[in-house]
Each structure stands twice: as C-alpha cells, then as structure tokens.
Amino acid sequence: MNRDGIFNFLSSLIVIIAGLAIGFVILLISDASQAVPAFMTILTFGTSSMRNVGDVLLFATPIILTGLSVAFAFRTGLFNIGASGQFTFGAFVAIYISVEMTFLPPPVRIVTAIVAAAVVGALWGAIPGMLKAYRNVHEVIACIMTNYIAMFFVNYMIITHIFDQGRGTSTALPSDSNLPSLGFENIFREPLGATFRSSHVNIGILIAIAIAILVYVILEKTTFGYELKACGFNKDAAKYAGINQNRNIIVSMMFCGALAGIGGALNYMNGTGLSMSIIDSLATEGFTGISVAFLGLNHPIGIIFSGILVSFLYLGGARMQVFGFSIELIEVVISIIIYFCAFVFLVRTFLSKTAGKYGKKEAAKEGGESA
C-alpha cells in the first residue's frame, strides 16, 4: 500500500473511532449501567449470526448506490445533495411498474422497473444539471428544490395511482416483483427452533457492487471519465482543452440521478414488504449516502465497504432499545457516529500536511549531516 493508501485508511479509521467514542460518551451520560452492553451491541450485532450478516448487506444496498451518486458528483466537481429526490422518484416508478404491469413476465417486469427507475432518476438529476450549466444556478440550491418537489409530487402520485387505503401507504408489491434471492436465504440464516429464519438479502447487493465497479472503470479507465474529472479539477483548463463543460455537467448529474434512482428501486424491491409512506419527510438514504461517500473518500470501491460499515452500525444501533434507551437517543448516537465521517477529508488533509512537514525536517536533517 502506497502512502496515499495508508493515509486514506488511517483517516477513515480515525473518524470511525472518534465517532464511536463520542457515541459511547452519550450513552454513559444517559445510562451508565447499560452503556457498555448497548455499545457492544452496536459493535457485534451485525455479525452475531449469518442472518444478521445478510441483513447488513441488505440494508447496505441502497446506501451504496446513493453514496456512489454523491461521490460521482464530487469527482466531477459537483455536489449532488439531490440524491434523496432522485431516490424517491426511482422508488415510486419501480413500485408503480411492479404493481401496475403484472401482465409482464416477472423477470421482464423486474428489469423494466430497475431500468425505468434509473431513467427517471437521470431525468430528475438533469434539472439541477441544466440549471447549473446554462443559468449558473448552484447545484446545491437546485438540488434542495428538486428534493422537496420530488417528495410532494410522489406523495400525490401515490395517493392518486397506487394508494392502499387500509395500510395508508403505497400498494404492496406482488411477491414475484421482488428481486431474486439466488439462494442467499440458505446461507444467511439462523436457527429458530426446528426451522431457520432467513435474511431477505438478495441479488440487489451484487447489483450494487457491480455498479460500483462500473463507476470505477468509467472514472478511471475511460476518456469519458477523464473529461468529467477534468471539468471538476479545473473547468477553465478543461474548456481550453476543448472539453464541453456544460454537456459534462448535465451528463454527470444525470448519471448521479440514475444511480440514486436504482438505489430507490432496489430498496423497495427487496422482499421485506416495504412500502412508501405518505409523509412530508425526505428520504434519509440520500443524505446517508453523503456520509457513505465521504467515509469511502469518494472512491467507488471504498464506498462498497463504507456502505456496509454504515449499515452495520445502523443495524446494531437499532437493537439498543432492549437496554432501555429511547429510539430518539439511539438516533442521536447513530447519527453522531455516522455523520462524524464527514470529517474524514479534514483528517486526511491533516495527516498529509503533518507527514509533509516531517518529511521536510528529515530531509533537512539528512542534508545538514551530509554537509
């Protein structure tokens, strides 16, 4: 591992430890007698059984994709804070196709739902991209706007087209519209009396990993990716080199939207019976993706591992209720641990500067001794 790789690993490790430490302090202040077992649950529950390992992978699937969406924008000089809205639109379209197009064979219906979610997410991502390219509207402002428009519009569309009056949510997906498990239920399970209880982990995690690898190839191994990154590093130099900056901004935001849209589709096609609720609240997966991207240092492969880690922490944190901690306190602790990851770039810069100063001192000392 080269020096940059070591710094990347150390910076991620430091912010994770710091976030965990602060979370533990909050637990101690709240209830010192239960703080240690509750904290150990966060650290161990996700690996306490094969079923829990499967659930970690299941819940990591959508946030890996929203993390990739945020990271792709960062690598191209943009900040896609609109992943929540893109995720929401992708989820709605996937559910609508799954519920209303039952005349299609299940495999065709599943593929159609995912592709449609990607297309709709891309189109929704194009809006802040075009505003940025042609009207110089900052993408953060445009993305915040489109997030809320997506939330309210999707709520209206659910009530109008796929509302389940009895449940107060979108209509439940037919069982054959869920992603295939590929036999994972026989691997990720735990004994329950004379039978087994299996996780709902499915092909979605493999799709997320494959997309992460694809994003890496696009960014690092193609001319298209080079042009996108060139616009992000120095737009004036890219323009001088003949690169169409406006086109790349729009294409980049569309690609980000497609990734988040797929995340929305996979989240609701996971076989857990999850439905979209009619609430005036933005999808948290889009914002969790920001922390996943930062923790993975915006590297597509790193985001696979950071997404799994964030899912691991959430799953363990949810189990702290058995120790008497309120759900609100649990949310505070987990949020601090997760969002502390935003400091990873600050730590990375500090390590680099410290190592640089140390290297200069060593070089000067060796130069003095040789003289």
Side-chain angles (χ1 to χ4, degrees), residues 65-144:
L65 286 159
T66 54
L68 288 171
S69 176
V70 174
F72 192 91
F74 268 114
R75 295 290 295 273
T76 58
L78 300 167
F79 186 10
N80 179 32
I81 201 173
S84 178
Q86 298 149 13
F87 177 95
T88 300
F89 253 119
F92 168 75
V93 169
I95 293 173
Y96 181 85
I97 290 175
S98 299
V99 170
E100 296 294 324
M101 296 188 178
T102 53
F103 57 86
L104 293 173
V108 176
R109 194 188 320 143
I110 291 171
V111 173
T112 301
I114 295 173
V115 172
V119 171
V120 172
L123 293 175
W124 199 246
I127 296 175
M130 289 188 292
L131 290 173
K132 171 76 171 181
Y134 295 115
R135 306 304 300 173
N136 200 30
V137 177
H138 199 285
E139 69 273 14
V140 170
I141 302 299
C143 283
I144 292 173

Side-chain angles (χ1 to χ4, degrees), residues 3 7 14 346-362:
R3 192 179 74 164
F7 287 162
I14 288 170
L346 180 64
V347 175
R348 172 69 173 79
T349 301
F350 174 78
L351 292 176
S352 296
K353 288 184 177 180
T354 303
K357 291 179 181 179
Y358 179 78
K360 288 180 181 179
K361 289 181 179 179
E362 288 297 311

Side-chain angles (χ1 to χ4, degrees), residues 312-371:
F312 175 88
L313 294 174
Y314 268 118
L315 193 66
R319 293 291 299 177
M320 288 197 300
Q321 280 185 281
V322 300
F323 297 100
F325 292 101
S326 67
I327 188 63
E328 291 81 10
L329 181 66
I330 293 170
E331 288 292 333
V332 169
V333 172
I334 297 302
S335 295
I336 287 175
I337 294 172
I338 300 304
Y339 289 103
F340 208 84
C341 299
F343 291 100
V344 67
F345 287 105
L346 180 64
V347 175
R348 172 69 173 79
T349 301
F350 174 78
L351 292 176
S352 296
K353 288 184 177 180
T354 303
K357 291 179 181 179
Y358 179 78
K360 288 180 181 179
K361 289 181 179 179
E362 288 297 311
K365 182 178 179 180
E366 291 178 1
E369 291 176 353
S370 62

Side-chain angles (χ1 to χ4, degrees), residues 63 66-67 70 80-85 87 283-291:
I63 60 176
T66 54
V70 174
N80 179 32
I81 201 173
S84 178
F87 177 95
T284 58
E285 290 86 353
F287 300 104
T288 304
I290 298 174
S291 296

